[in-house]
Structure formats: structure tokens, C-alpha cells
Amino acid sequence: MQRVYGVDIDAVARGDVSLAQAAALAACLPPGSLCLAREDERYGWSRQDMLLLAIANSLRTEPIDPFKGPNVMEFSPEELGEYLARPRTAAENGGDA
């Protein structure tokens, strides 16, 4: 939110910005914002990125789909639930697994 609105998240903790204001700002983050990209990589693409890809795809015989490929995992809702329910292992050095 700091990059887009100039609002530091610490301002919420200090009480300078209310939680309701921060939630309203977060709900209106534009495509390309880092917060949205953490939730879903497709939202990490700015409008400029999407337009440039559309231009590149208009010149190609086989369009590029950046969200399909060997590193993309696709699940049905049931498969996703099963995948998320699997036990997790602790990461080395105290990080998240």
C-alpha cells in the first residue's frame, strides 16, 4: 500500500490510519500491486504488462500464456482441498515450509 497510496502499514499499527481505511485502500489496489501478486500471480501483472503481452501476442502465430506451463499447478476444488490438507514439514532455518 505504501508504493501505491503512500500509506505505511506501520501507520495502521500506530493508529494514524484506521483499520477500516486500510481495508478500503487494500480492496482498491490496482493490478500490479505487490499485495495482490502475493495472493495470485495473475494480479501481479500491471495494465501496462498486460497490454504489452497483448501486443506481443498479436504479432505471434502462437500466443504466449504466462500462466500455463511446467510450474503451474491446476487443481479441481476437491484436489485442492486434499492438497492443502496434507501435512506440512518445517523448513530449514526456521522459515515457512
Side-chain angles (χ1 to χ4, degrees):
M1 286 195 315
Q2 187 169 3
R3 187 175 71 152
V4 176
Y5 301 118
V7 174
D8 186 1
I9 197 71
D10 290 335
V12 178
R14 289 191 306 269
D16 298 339
V17 175
S18 74
L19 190 56
Q21 288 171 319
L25 292 174
C28 296
L29 284 168
S33 70
L34 298 176
C35 292
L36 292 176
R38 294 277 296 169
E39 293 298 316
D40 186 335
E41 72 178 58
R42 291 174 290 196
Y43 297 120
W45 284 61
S46 69
R47 287 186 179 98
Q48 179 181 356
D49 295 334
M50 291 185 269
L51 287 171
L52 288 172
L53 179 61
I55 291 168
N57 279 342
S58 72
L59 302 172
R60 296 175 56 90
T61 55
E62 188 174 323
I64 300 168
D65 185 349
F67 307 111
K68 298 276 186 201
N71 296 326
V72 177
M73 299 172 67
E74 294 189 21
F75 296 104
S76 70
E78 295 79 20
E79 292 171 329
L80 179 60
E82 186 273 325
Y83 178 78
L84 293 175
R86 291 180 190 166
R88 289 160 181 79
T89 58
E92 294 181 21
N93 301 327
D96 291 335

